[in-house]
Amino acid sequence: MFRPSTRHNLPSSSSNPALEVKLNKRQSGIGAGGPSARWPYRLNFYEHPPTLDITLEEFETFAIARLRILSHIESLSHRSLPYAQIASGITTYTKTHLPLSSNTARNVNLDEERRRDEIGHWVLRLAFCRSPDLRARFVRTETALFKNRFETDDIHERAAFLRSLEFDWQIVDESEKATYATELRSCMSWGTKDDQFKAESWFKVPWYTVPDLVGGRRVFIRAGMAYVPQSLQISLVLQAFASRLEKALELTAKNLPRLDEDERLGPVIDHLASSFLSGLGASDYQPAEGSGSTSAVTAEMVDDVARKHFPPCMKNLYERLKRDHHLKHFGRLQLGLFLKGLGLPLDEAIVFWRRMYGATMSDDKFNKEYKYNIRHSYGQEGKRANYPPKSCQQILTSNQPGTQDSHGCPFRHFSPENLTTFLLSSYPQLDRGGAEMREILDSVKTAHYHVACTRVFEITHSVKKGEGLGNAESVSHPNKWSDRSREMEKEVLEGIKRKEDGDEMMVDA
């Protein structure tokens, strides 16, 4: 917790170029339930930077929560899914990781939800204003999030929000509407009956403000003005949101070098940017205290679990260990922490590694050179830190492998030829010349490694495309892959057992 005098100026897009955030005690006066006085609407254009009291923990956790949402949206957008499935995936995921309720919701702390949402957005502006690529990706994903909220918002609250923005759209009067009735009707693909045409209201805006509608030939254009029907109003709103956010990010980038940032904030902002560049938000995987997040695994079980439930990165390490009876330091660390998260206790880990090194290594050498590191990774030596398994983002961005190393991510660090050979040998469900393999390699070419890995999971586990690990969640952690794979196997076995028990009961009857 910081002292009350600690203050930090963060750039904004308002007339005042600084967003002041005091890192001290939590803001008081936030009640549970009822409409929010500070944030009257669920929707937000984030035009006015807040001056709020927050802790450093909130600074980071609120941004990570939003980053997780934006990364999930970007993952969905690269998986060639129908829009309805993408929208459903965004809605489900946001309800879990960043809920934002309408004013009609009951027993919900609206102030707290909207405070969390706004702080997360403004912190991420600092991280993603630094390059044109980051700005473009941030605008794209934030616009998709806003669109999802706009479409799922309460209709009356949404209308009130739009009125508060006071857009300078010109309303088409009845005489002008009658003059261009034929042209306007041709734009109404949803119906051209007289009652539908009469009920529809129209706006005039410069044609360049609705490029998506112009490109799709969905609007009538005359004298540089596009005639937009009320039913396509969302295009106007999204264009306004995206253009304003883009300009705000450019202004933030100009002011960023002048910041007198607290040295504790710099690493947080850098980490957020690197997480987004790797295509992944911070993983929310938390192994259970002790042996792991699922049922315990013994040294004897590892080979069977590896054959059925290891993700590509860990299967590669395990096969190399079986073949060479050795792994270099970062390979041992990556696989060892994964096995720890999988549920392999310390005593079984020592048995496993000793067995894998084989008879070519003496017990004395193993105890002197390797046993200590195993105990250290379990928090039993050194500073006794309980090291967690490495996430996909850590594997992709840290300790890059050399030519003689075997750690890392196969989708990023293998050549296309080696990756294809490895996947075909490791996962028989894949076909070299099939459309699914081409889809995986196309994702790799565009650096969407998590999308490729998620697609492999779907194919090898007979999961519908777009479902991922469940609820359209992409792979963001090797242990999440294995945990979900083992859960699915358990569900199948329990189903078989229930069927057998039911058959026995019918025989007895």
Side-chain angles (χ1 to χ4, degrees):
M1 187 67 69
F2 290 91
R3 297 182 184 276
S5 59
T6 304
R7 296 179 67 89
H8 298 273
N9 293 328
L10 308 183
S12 74
S13 61
S14 70
S15 57
N16 180 359
L19 161 64
E20 294 184 343
V21 180
K22 294 190 293 182
L23 298 174
N24 50 25
K25 62 183 180 179
R26 295 274 306 266
Q27 179 185 7
S28 60
I30 297 179
S36 170
R38 186 183 185 99
W39 296 279
Y41 310 108
R42 174 175 179 252
L43 299 174
N44 196 337
F45 262 37
Y46 309 101
E47 294 186 291
H48 305 292
T51 301
L52 298 171
D53 295 347
I54 66 172
T55 64
L56 180 60
E57 180 183 3
E58 288 176 328
F59 183 91
E60 183 173 14
T61 57
F62 291 176
I64 287 176
R66 194 176 193 88
L67 175 64
R68 185 174 293 128
I69 299 297
L70 300 187
S71 297
H72 184 67
I73 290 173
E74 188 169 60
S75 173
L76 288 173
S77 68
H78 291 298
R79 295 172 67 182
S80 304
L81 304 176
Y83 176 72
Q85 192 172 354
I86 293 176
S88 176
I90 295 174
T91 301
T92 301
Y93 204 72
T94 52
K95 283 182 179 178
T96 302
H97 298 289
L98 194 67
L100 196 64
S101 306
S102 296
N103 290 337
T104 53
R106 296 185 177 182
N107 301 319
V108 175
N109 191 330
L110 296 180
D111 267 309
E112 185 61 29
E113 284 188 352
R114 295 174 188 185
R115 176 175 179 270
R116 176 188 177 98
D117 175 77
E118 184 159 49
I119 291 173
H121 172 88
W122 283 93
V123 173
L124 290 189
R125 281 197 188 187
L126 292 177
F128 304 142
C129 69
R130 302 181 175 196
S131 71
D133 176 59
L134 275 176
R135 290 197 293 270
R137 290 171 64 179
F138 184 62
V139 170
R140 187 165 54 247
T141 50
E142 278 282 348
T143 302
L145 176 60
F146 180 86
K147 180 180 181 182
N148 180 264
R149 289 173 171 174
F150 188 90
E151 293 176 334
T152 57
D153 200 21
D154 175 80
I155 186 171
H156 300 293
E157 185 177 339
R158 182 174 63 198
F161 170 73
L162 291 178
R163 286 194 297 271
S164 72
L165 295 175
E166 299 180 347
F167 288 122
D168 56 350
W169 302 336
Q170 299 180 37
I171 299 177
V172 178
D173 59 32
E174 289 300 321
S175 61
E176 189 174 10
K177 182 177 174 181
T179 301
Y180 302 110
T182 302
E183 291 83 356
L184 296 180
R185 283 176 183 272
S186 66
C187 300
M188 295 178 60
S189 59
W190 58 96
T192 57
K193 295 181 179 180
D194 287 340
D195 57 342
Q196 292 174 318
F197 180 71
K198 291 178 181 178
E200 189 70 81
S201 56
W202 300 76
F203 304 100
K204 283 197 303 184
V205 297
W207 67 269
Y208 53 81
T209 62
V210 283
D212 55 329
L213 298 182
V214 174
R217 298 187 175 184
R218 303 175 69 188
V219 290
F220 168 58
I221 300 176
R222 181 181 179 278
M225 302 297 286
Y227 289 66
V228 182
Q230 173 78 30
S231 52
L232 297 180
Q233 183 187 54
I234 187 173
S235 292
L236 293 170
V237 178
L238 294 180
Q239 182 64 26
F241 178 86
S243 61
R244 294 184 188 188
L245 179 56
E246 186 175 357
K247 292 177 182 177
L249 285 170
E250 292 174 356
L251 182 59
T252 302
K254 292 178 181 178
N255 283 283
L256 194 63
R258 300 187 310 191
L259 281 181
D260 180 21
E261 289 183 333
D262 189 295
E263 62 182 10
R264 292 162 290 188
L265 303 185
V268 174
I269 294 171
D270 291 340
H271 173 70
L272 292 169
S274 64
S275 295
F276 201 54
L277 280 171
S278 68
L280 298 159
S283 174
D284 58 352
Y285 180 80
Q286 293 293 337
E289 189 71 25
S291 61
S293 60
T294 59
S295 57
V297 174
T298 65
E300 292 287 345
M301 295 167 58
V302 171
D303 193 69
D304 182 62
V305 175
R307 180 172 54 86
K308 297 184 292 185
H309 306 298
F310 273 25
C313 56
M314 299 306 168
K315 183 164 285 193
N316 171 58
L317 284 169
Y318 181 68
E319 293 301 323
R320 291 285 292 269
L321 179 60
K322 285 176 64 177
R323 186 192 72 189
D324 302 337
H325 302 290
H326 182 265
L327 285 176
K328 287 194 168 185
H329 170 73
F330 288 118
R332 294 196 305 271
L333 183 63
Q334 184 175 320
L335 179 60
L337 292 177
F338 167 79
L339 292 173
K340 174 187 174 183
L342 196 65
L344 188 70
L346 174 57
D347 55 343
E348 290 292 329
I350 294 173
V351 172
F352 166 78
W353 286 102
R354 180 66 190 95
R355 182 178 299 165
M356 296 305 292
Y357 281 131
T360 56
M361 180 181 293
S362 66
D363 289 339
D364 185 57
K365 181 177 181 180
F366 175 80
N367 290 333
K368 286 182 178 179
E369 299 182 17
Y370 297 97
K371 188 174 180 179
Y372 176 88
N373 287 334
I374 298 171
R375 289 177 53 81
H376 187 275
S377 66
Y378 277 77
Q380 300 302 309
E381 300 288 353
K383 62 179 182 180
R384 300 185 180 274
N386 186 22
Y387 297 98
K390 290 185 176 294
S391 67
C392 293
Q393 190 260 330
Q394 291 172 310
I395 293 171
L396 284 167
T397 59
S398 62
N399 304 316
Q400 297 302 294
T403 55
Q404 301 301 315
D405 291 317
S406 50
H407 67 281
C409 171
F411 297 102
R412 179 178 183 181
H413 300 119
F414 281 18
S415 68
E417 296 76 16
N418 289 343
L419 176 62
T420 301
T421 301
F422 166 71
L423 291 176
L424 292 173
S425 63
S426 301
Y427 302 100
Q429 301 93 330
L430 296 173
D431 177 23
R432 177 181 292 274
E436 293 167 337
M437 179 62 79
R438 290 196 298 272
E439 184 181 354
I440 292 168
L441 294 177
D442 286 343
S443 295
V444 171
K445 288 179 183 177
T446 54
H448 297 121
Y449 311 114
H450 59 298
V451 174
C453 189
T454 302
R455 190 69 188 113
V456 172
F457 180 92
E458 292 171 340
I459 296 168
T460 57
H461 291 77
S462 301
V463 174
K464 178 182 176 182
K465 181 179 178 180
E467 283 298 306
L469 302 184
N471 294 325
E473 181 179 2
S474 299
V475 177
S476 61
H477 200 293
N479 287 86
K480 279 192 170 185
W481 167 303
S482 295
D483 288 352
R484 180 56 185 150
S485 180
R486 295 172 72 191
E487 287 172 5
M488 294 176 68
E489 181 186 56
K490 183 179 178 181
E491 291 167 0
V492 171
L493 295 176
E494 289 176 348
I496 294 173
K497 186 176 185 304
R498 285 194 299 270
K499 186 177 184 303
E500 291 176 347
D501 292 343
D503 292 342
E504 290 178 3
M505 291 178 64
M506 292 180 64
V507 171
D508 292 342

